[in-house]
Amino acid sequence: MLWSQNKKSVVSTNQSVVGMLLAKEMGARSLVAKSDFLLVTDQVTGEYHANDPQMAAYLGYVQILKGSFAVFELVHVPREQNARADLLTKLASSGKGGR
């Protein structure tokens, strides 16, 4: 189960990175991101540490990307309230986002 949890964390963080890169590319100066994965939200905000080396590397990259925005906020939302964000993330990560 621990492996599964770590894999889910990495996937969720990877989706967050894709969204942040798209916002940066579009010239956004502030970003409010939403995640339905509480563990990832708590790791990005610094409430929890990432013990997994791959997750720690992703979080380091997220911290660098956060510096690209004058304002960055990551908000946890329940999964049932995050369907639109999931759809946008899937679209962005598919490479079919209109480029």
Side-chain angles (χ1 to χ4, degrees):
M1 187 62 166
L2 182 60
W3 178 84
S4 176
Q5 186 74 2
N6 286 339
K7 184 169 176 65
K8 288 179 187 177
S9 297
V10 168
V11 168
S12 181
T13 304
N14 187 44
Q15 291 172 343
S16 298
V17 166
V18 169
M20 292 173 79
L21 287 171
L22 284 172
K24 179 181 174 185
E25 186 178 303
M26 294 173 60
R29 294 298 306 139
S30 62
L31 179 64
V32 177
K34 297 179 181 180
S35 174
D36 57 20
F37 203 133
L38 184 58
L39 176 62
V40 170
T41 303
D42 287 343
Q43 288 174 332
V44 170
T45 60
E47 292 186 43
Y48 291 129
H49 280 315
N51 295 326
D52 178 74
Q54 185 178 10
M55 188 65 190
Y58 270 116
L59 288 171
Y61 189 48
V62 167
Q63 295 303 322
I64 291 169
L65 285 174
K66 281 173 52 174
S68 302
F69 304 98
V71 176
F72 176 82
E73 183 180 358
L74 180 61
V75 178
H76 175 258
V77 295
R79 180 161 298 198
E80 58 275 0
Q81 295 176 12
N82 205 27
R84 182 171 183 256
D86 284 343
L87 180 61
L88 290 172
T89 300
K90 288 176 187 175
L91 179 63
S93 63
S94 73
K96 298 177 183 174
R99 292 190 205 189

